[in-house]
Amino acid sequence: MRRFLNTSLLPLAAGLALRLLFVLKYPCNSDDAQLYEQFAENWLKHGIYGMLVNGRLTCVDMRMPGYPAFLSALYFLTGRTGTGARLWVMLTQVVIDLLTCLIIAALAAVLCPGSDAQRRRVRRIALWLAATCPFIANYAAVPLTEVLATFFTAAALLLFVLLLRFLAESDLLAGGDAHLFHRLFTGLGMGAALLTGLGTLVRPETPLLLFAAWLAFAWVFFRKGEFAKWPGMLILTGAMCIVPLVPWAVRNAVTLHEVQFLAPRYSELPSELVPHGFMSWEKTWLYRFRDVYLVSWKLNDEPISIGDIPPGTFDSAEQKLRVAALLDEYNESLTLSAEEDSAFGQMARERTALHPLRTYLNLPVARAAMMWLTPRIELLPFSGKVLPLAASWEDDPVDLTVTVVFFFLNILYVALAVCGAVRLWRAFPMSRPAILLFAVFILLRTAFLTTLETPEPRYVIVCYPAILTLAAHAFARSKKPA
């Protein structure tokens, strides 16, 4: 019995049960999911990566092709498409997500400074944390990119950390076995860069992981007195990351007559107006995800009410009247005109000139806090309403309980990660480059996400392999290795 409890089977079984609960009881849908399914079905049936535009199947580049390719492969294997294939898609994502849990456990073990017994203990803790974490698990129940993107991120992190550990603990850079160094770099460094490139085919911001790795390796090379080797490492890993993107860029050059390695910044269709002014205005006040539903995602589709915009959005009564007048004009046609967009842009410039710190500092920080400190119940049938507390409890105690528990659970994971990083930094100096990699990756990704028009909490899920890896070390013994 003790041997069974010490194996990976029990946490994996618990993880499987949790994911099947989400798949069978709380399957979810979204507009993005339907868009990915449309791309995959058209690609499989017609050989065209595109969608219907004005009744005509049109080639587009508004989403990266990695996840639609994953769906197309499953459609081919199962003989089903769209909603008919969703159960198979979700079950496959369950398997991939459990593999990610094993990678997280391996990451924690690689970072462990102690004996084999200590590494096994940390690996078990990390596996339990990853397998039972609902914030990753519930994305197995929806056709979105999170599960696949998290898998590639975790796998790339593992290879990067392995290489960092070898370089930090050896004299390979200081006149050691050059042949061994090149073998390790080829197998681990280039492999991690390739995985980063494959992840970029799923989520276009994945190269931020490579940028974080470059900084971590720069630190190691500098401390070893071999900084001259860093530019070569940067060039080779950068080139390897680009390799998986080349077919996509060639396709875009041939089909759309543009060399595009990533998806367009605003995911626009050809000849579609990008509402730069409106989005700039939103960036002077929007930070809560609920406002994305009420304003951002209604644009060019539904009426937008002045009552749905927070009162703090307006610097004056006159400004509120201007916004109300613009929204009245928009609501007549449900299409934002170039003139209306320009007027919103002018208002954004005025608000930014009046309070530059609000636009460039306060709101990005608020967006980051919102994305990280949230109950993460977007995919679950709960409202997330907490205040007023007594009324929320009276209306739906289950809803309130789940919201509060998930909120504090999310904070717990982040707090444990911080604690684990501090303990590991103090106990094992050789692990510091890996901790730097995790920290820079999380900070870079968070900073980038605060610049997006719709700051969705799901976008930080990809950081959870690093969070859970470090969280496992909060329970590790701080005794330094002999």
Side-chain angles (χ1 to χ4, degrees):
M1 183 64 178
R2 182 180 179 85
R3 181 176 298 178
F4 173 73
L5 293 175
N6 288 336
T7 67
S8 301
L9 296 179
L10 193 57
L12 288 176
L16 176 62
L18 177 62
R19 285 153 180 78
L20 291 179
L21 172 66
F22 286 123
V23 167
L24 300 177
K25 189 172 178 60
Y26 300 112
C28 191
N29 190 16
S30 72
D31 291 340
D32 276 354
Q34 296 175 27
L35 188 62
Y36 286 126
E37 289 172 343
Q38 184 180 166
F39 287 155
E41 190 168 352
N42 291 332
W43 203 355
L44 180 65
K45 291 183 176 180
H46 307 291
I48 295 176
Y49 185 78
M51 60 186 296
L52 290 175
V53 179
N54 297 323
R56 181 180 177 182
L57 185 57
T58 305
C59 292
V60 297
D61 62 351
M62 60 187 299
R63 289 291 190 278
M64 296 300 290
Y67 192 70
F70 167 74
L71 294 179
S72 293
L74 290 178
Y75 292 172
F76 176 77
L77 294 173
T78 62
R80 299 170 181 268
T81 60
T83 56
R86 280 191 182 174
L87 180 59
W88 291 104
V89 171
M90 291 187 290
L91 292 176
T92 304
Q93 290 184 162
V94 166
V95 175
I96 294 173
D97 205 16
L98 292 175
L99 290 175
T100 302
C101 293
L102 291 172
I103 295 173
I104 292 171
L107 260 173
V110 169
L111 285 179
C112 184
S115 63
D116 289 343
Q118 289 174 316
R119 278 191 286 272
R120 287 194 296 269
R121 180 174 182 270
V122 170
R123 183 170 58 242
R124 286 197 301 272
I125 293 171
L127 186 56
W128 272 109
L129 287 173
T132 58
C133 178
F135 306 133
I136 299 178
N138 63 352
Y139 279 95
V142 60
L144 287 174
T145 59
E146 271 58 42
V147 167
L148 209 57
T150 303
F151 169 80
F152 281 118
T153 298
L157 279 173
L158 178 59
L159 296 189
F160 276 136
V161 168
L162 280 169
L163 183 56
L164 283 170
R165 282 291 305 272
F166 278 123
L167 296 183
E169 293 183 349
S170 69
D171 294 325
L172 295 178
L173 293 177
D177 191 338
H179 179 65
L180 179 58
F181 166 70
H182 289 301
R183 285 176 57 191
L184 289 173
F185 175 73
T186 301
L188 298 176
M190 300 295 279
L194 178 63
L195 287 169
T196 303
L198 293 173
T200 306
L201 289 172
V202 179
R203 292 291 314 176
E205 69 276 9
T206 306
L208 292 173
L209 171 59
L210 186 59
F211 298 153
W214 286 342
L215 291 177
F217 280 102
W219 188 34
V220 173
F221 282 120
F222 179 78
R223 290 175 64 87
K224 292 283 186 178
E226 296 285 346
F227 192 74
K229 290 185 170 65
W230 181 72
M233 176 265 183
L234 185 151
I235 293 171
L236 290 174
T237 53
M240 182 58 72
C241 179
I242 292 173
V243 167
L245 304 175
V246 171
W248 173 243
V250 171
R251 176 264 185 189
N252 291 334
V254 172
T255 304
L256 304 175
H257 309 294
E258 60 178 5
V259 180
Q260 177 69 267
F261 282 87
L262 304 175
R265 173 68 174 82
Y266 300 105
S267 298
E268 72 273 13
L269 291 170
S271 72
E272 183 180 15
L273 171 68
V274 178
H276 292 288
F278 187 86
M279 292 186 296
S280 296
W281 171 70
E282 282 186 316
K283 287 183 179 180
T284 66
W285 62 270
L286 188 150
Y287 69 93
R288 298 179 303 180
F289 187 46
R290 66 181 295 270
D291 295 325
V292 173
Y293 285 99
L294 296 174
V295 180
S296 305
W297 286 346
K298 287 185 176 181
L299 188 65
N300 292 329
D301 190 36
E302 300 178 51
I304 299 174
S305 171
I306 188 70
D308 287 334
I309 299 175
T313 299
F314 311 107
D315 293 323
S316 65
E318 181 269 340
Q319 192 176 93
K320 183 175 182 179
L321 290 175
R322 288 168 61 190
V323 173
L326 286 170
L327 291 180
D328 286 341
E329 293 179 21
Y330 157 78
N331 288 337
E332 290 180 2
S333 63
L334 298 185
T335 301
L336 189 73
S337 67
E339 293 76 16
E340 292 161 357
D341 184 59
S342 177
F344 276 112
Q346 176 60 32
M347 204 173 314
R349 290 188 289 273
E350 293 172 4
R351 286 174 54 80
T352 299
L354 186 62
H355 296 292
L357 287 180
R358 175 180 60 189
T359 299
Y360 298 121
L361 179 62
N362 298 348
L363 279 168
V365 170
R367 284 182 165 208
M370 184 280 302
M371 286 187 286
W372 278 103
L373 306 178
T374 173
R376 304 198 183 282
I377 56 173
E378 303 86 35
L379 300 183
L380 300 175
F382 302 108
S383 68
K385 182 181 178 182
V386 175
L387 300 176
L389 193 62
S392 297
W393 177 263
E394 184 177 349
D395 290 342
D396 193 334
V398 174
D399 188 299
L400 177 63
T401 301
V402 171
T403 300
V404 172
V405 169
F406 272 45
F407 173 74
F408 283 106
L409 184 62
N410 182 51
I411 292 178
L412 177 63
Y413 284 129
V414 176
L416 287 174
V418 173
C419 179
V422 171
R423 296 185 68 176
L424 198 57
W425 185 278
R426 291 175 175 175
F428 192 36
M430 293 299 179
S431 67
R432 291 175 181 176
I435 297 173
L436 178 65
L437 167 61
F438 289 164
V440 173
F441 169 57
I442 292 171
L443 291 174
L444 277 179
R445 186 174 178 85
T446 302
F448 170 77
L449 294 176
T450 63
T451 69
L452 299 183
E453 292 65 49
T454 55
E456 298 184 53
R458 69 184 176 99
Y459 292 150
V460 300
I461 289 296
V462 176
C463 297
Y464 261 72
I467 294 293
L468 295 173
T469 297
L470 294 174
H473 283 275
F475 302 95
R477 297 178 177 88
S478 58
K479 182 180 178 181
K480 295 183 180 181

